[in-house]
Amino acid sequence: QVDIEADGKIVNKAAGAPAETKMPKPLAFAVMRNCHEAIRDGLKECDAAVEADDMKALASAYGDLARCIATHMKFEDNGFFPFLNERFDNALEKAGITGDESVHVRDEKLQEELKEVLKGEDKEAIVAKYREWKEYHIDHLKQEEKNAMPLMPQFGKSVKGDPLAMGRAFNENVLSKPGNADDLPWFAGYCCHMLSKYGSQKQDGYTAMRVFAHGLQWGTTPEQWKTVLPEIKKNVPAEMWDRLVKQVDIEADGKIVNKAAGAPAETKMPKPLAFAVMRNCHEAIRDGLKECDAAVEADDMKALASAYGDLARCIATHMKFEDNGFFPFLNERFDNALEKAGITGDESVHVRDEKLQEELKEVLKGEDKEAIVAKYREWKEYHIDHLKQEEKNAMPLMPQFGKSVKGDPLAMGRAFNENVLSKPGNADDLPWFAGYCCHMLSKYGSQKQDGYTAMRVFAHGLQWGTTPEQWKTVLPEIKKNVPAEMWDRLVKQVDIEAD
């Protein structure tokens, strides 16, 4: 479902640089549109052979192009077009794109005639038939683009532009249909080669190829992507490949995780929410207070000092996230809402909380149990109120921000990384912090979520808000701090080991 072992999703511009904020949005269905451009590029190779009066070269170029078109038309006939007809009142049937008199029927007839004349040596007949088919095929592409492509933004709106939802729809309705992916690796390599060499009508070679490859990555399962990736790599120039790796992390796994071998693609992958790290850390703090309470109940001041020590370390990082990132981010976007509510500023909840914590740390150095317990309870009461004040004033602002980026998990992840994790000093203790939060959440859960769910929301959100470099330091700490059965479930459900 969510590939939790995949890499962190925020790609940096360079080592030590601030997180990349312009990572292109992956569009799985762009595979269909940019394949049209790869077909136009293939026609250029055929035209060059005709211009050179080289019928062998034409036969070779057309042979590869026909192989590409065969897979593309399978995608359409056995997936993409039925998907659109079902959702949009048979729009393509009504336009003559599908049905007994479809553009594909006529196109395939002309291709059969071209293949037949290519067996002979009559150049005039070959060129005439090629040109007849080419003219029809270009019109065929235009008809599809006119009638099918405008429907995709409407589908995109229906899933709020979520690239994972679009990728799952592409995999389930196109790639997972019987026979459609049989020639997928070669097809992907051919399209990327043509696009990188010639570009498209509106995009340069790198961009046209990147849109296709990145979209396909987000529409394939890890197993499919492993077969495709080597073909793409060997079919594009080395400098373009290096750029792909840096810009969109093309070597990471395909994003659609199957329920089981041979099962249809998972369609209920939980949505990653990077800023949920902030909210679910509050729940991890509440869980840490339970450990402190247990020590107080046991009249064990050493255990209290240990439990509070770990909790204080977690809170220190969390409050750095807030003071040096999250709260300024919200104040800037929402007319100083937190300043007005007393969450930030000289008299903020953090100022009072830190004073009480200093007093608690001081009494913990002594042996006066009554003083220790009294100060702990005074701080705990204030801290719980502190959490509630933040939840009341800060958390309602996040859905508004989410709407501003159309719910795009990548956009929210980039905002979290740029405005929280990338601020100086904020991520210094990130691996330990992540391990502690996941341990507490998996052990106690939250006020509204069981242990696994609370921990998964935190871990998956953090994966989508970290760079691959950050995530590599965090992942081992999460793994060692959650039960093995929960870890296995994370891997299966959200691909937590991916970048």
Side-chain angles (χ1 to χ4, degrees):
Q1 270 187 13
V2 293
D3 192 15
I4 204 74
E5 292 179 308
D7 281 356
K9 305 303 176 188
I10 310 304
V11 181
N12 279 355
K13 295 172 183 173
E20 175 61 67
T21 59
K22 303 271 187 183
M23 179 178 176
K25 186 173 182 176
L27 300 166
F29 282 97
V31 168
M32 303 304 296
R33 180 62 183 84
N34 273 30
C35 180
H36 277 203
E37 299 303 319
I39 289 168
R40 288 183 170 97
D41 294 337
L43 289 170
K44 292 174 185 173
E45 303 244 310
C46 294
D47 289 344
V50 170
E51 289 298 312
D53 197 33
D54 188 339
M55 297 303 104
K56 285 187 178 179
L58 173 60
S60 176
Y62 168 71
D64 287 342
L65 178 57
R67 183 176 173 183
C68 170
I69 291 170
T71 288
H72 180 72
M73 282 167 55
K74 277 203 291 186
F75 283 5
E76 292 175 328
D77 290 336
N78 191 31
F80 185 49
F81 290 167
F83 168 78
L84 293 178
N85 274 328
E86 182 182 338
R87 282 157 182 79
F88 297 102
D89 192 28
N90 280 317
L92 304 188
E93 187 87 20
K94 293 171 182 176
I97 303 299
T98 60
D100 293 339
E101 300 298 320
S102 73
V103 289
H104 283 190
V105 173
R106 173 67 176 150
D107 199 287
E108 287 169 344
K109 181 177 184 297
L110 287 171
Q111 283 203 63
E112 287 304 314
E113 293 170 1
L114 175 55
K115 288 172 185 174
E116 192 61 33
V117 295
L118 278 166
K119 295 175 184 177
E121 297 184 5
D122 186 337
K123 288 184 179 181
E124 284 189 14
I126 291 171
V127 171
K129 184 55 67 176
Y130 163 70
R131 287 176 172 158
E132 181 187 0
W133 167 72
K134 174 190 168 185
E135 181 180 0
Y136 183 81
H137 193 77
I138 290 174
D139 183 66
H140 154 183
L141 298 179
K142 288 178 179 176
Q143 288 186 57
E144 291 178 349
E145 290 157 10
K146 176 183 176 183
N147 291 282
M149 298 308 166
L151 303 177
M152 285 314 302
Q154 297 179 53
F155 172 69
K157 285 181 183 177
S158 75
V159 295
K160 299 180 180 178
D162 180 1
L164 282 169
M166 290 189 283
R168 289 194 294 274
F170 179 74
N171 193 280
E172 182 178 312
N173 293 282
V174 179
L175 292 188
S176 291
K177 298 298 182 182
N180 278 10
D182 289 351
D183 204 23
L184 182 62
W186 181 91
F187 167 81
Y190 177 85
C191 288
C192 287
H193 175 71
M194 288 296 161
L195 292 167
S196 66
K197 186 174 181 180
Y198 296 103
S200 70
Q201 296 172 98
K202 295 183 178 180
Q203 297 168 323
D204 62 84
Y206 170 74
T207 304
M209 179 273 296
R210 186 261 300 158
V211 168
F212 179 97
H214 195 206
L216 189 56
Q217 181 189 30
W218 280 69
T220 50
T221 65
E223 296 76 17
Q224 289 167 333
W225 188 241
K226 282 175 186 172
T227 68
V228 166
L229 196 63
E231 290 295 318
I232 294 178
K233 186 175 183 178
K234 79 179 186 183
N235 275 286
V236 303
E239 64 275 11
M240 287 193 186
W241 176 258
D242 292 343
R243 194 174 166 193
L244 265 186
V245 171
K246 290 175 184 174
Q247 190 183 24
V248 297
D249 194 17
I250 204 70
E251 293 179 312
D253 285 351
K255 304 305 177 187
I256 310 304
V257 181
N258 280 352
K259 295 174 185 172
E266 176 59 66
T267 59
K268 303 251 177 162
M269 177 180 176
K271 187 171 184 176
L273 300 166
F275 282 97
V277 169
M278 304 303 296
R279 180 62 183 83
N280 273 30
C281 180
H282 278 204
E283 298 303 318
I285 290 169
R286 287 184 170 97
D287 293 338
L289 289 170
K290 292 175 185 175
E291 303 244 310
C292 294
D293 289 343
V296 169
E297 289 298 312
D299 196 31
D300 188 339
M301 296 304 103
K302 285 187 178 178
L304 173 60
S306 176
Y308 168 72
D310 286 342
L311 178 57
R313 183 176 174 183
C314 170
I315 291 170
T317 288
H318 180 71
M319 282 168 54
K320 278 202 290 186
F321 284 5
E322 291 175 328
D323 291 337
N324 191 32
F326 185 48
F327 290 166
F329 168 77
L330 293 179
N331 273 329
E332 182 182 338
R333 282 158 181 78
F334 298 102
D335 192 29
N336 280 317
L338 303 188
E339 186 88 21
K340 294 172 182 175
I343 304 298
T344 60
D346 294 338
E347 301 298 319
S348 75
V349 289
H350 284 189
V351 172
R352 172 70 176 149
D353 199 287
E354 287 169 345
K355 182 177 183 296
L356 287 171
Q357 283 202 64
E358 287 305 315
E359 294 170 2
L360 175 56
K361 289 172 185 175
E362 191 60 34
V363 296
L364 278 166
K365 294 176 184 176
E367 296 184 5
D368 186 339
K369 287 185 180 181
E370 285 189 15
I372 290 170
V373 171
K375 184 55 68 176
Y376 163 69
R377 285 175 173 160
E378 181 187 2
W379 166 73
K380 174 190 169 185
E381 182 181 359
Y382 183 81
H383 193 77
I384 289 173
D385 183 65
H386 155 184
L387 297 179
K388 289 178 179 177
Q389 287 186 57
E390 292 177 349
E391 289 158 9
K392 177 183 176 182
N393 291 283
M395 297 309 165
L397 303 177
M398 285 314 302
Q400 297 179 52
F401 172 70
K403 286 181 183 177
S404 75
V405 294
K406 299 179 180 178
D408 180 3
L410 281 169
M412 290 190 284
R414 289 194 295 274
F416 179 74
N417 194 279
E418 182 178 314
N419 293 283
V420 180
L421 292 187
S422 290
K423 298 298 182 181
N426 277 10
D428 289 350
D429 204 25
L430 181 62
W432 182 91
F433 167 81
Y436 176 85
C437 289
C438 286
H439 174 70
M440 288 297 162
L441 293 167
S442 66
K443 186 174 181 180
Y444 297 102
S446 70
Q447 297 173 97
K448 295 183 178 180
Q449 295 168 324
D450 63 85
Y452 170 75
T453 303
M455 179 274 294
R456 188 262 299 158
V457 169
F458 179 98
H460 194 206
L462 188 58
Q463 181 189 27
W464 280 70
T466 50
T467 66
E469 294 74 25
Q470 289 167 334
W471 188 240
K472 282 173 186 171
T473 68
V474 166
L475 195 62
E477 290 296 318
I478 294 178
K479 185 174 184 178
K480 79 179 186 183
N481 276 286
V482 303
E485 64 274 13
M486 287 193 186
W487 177 259
D488 292 343
R489 193 173 167 193
L490 267 184
V491 171
K492 289 174 184 173
Q493 191 186 24
V494 295
D495 194 17
I496 203 72
E497 292 179 315
D499 285 354

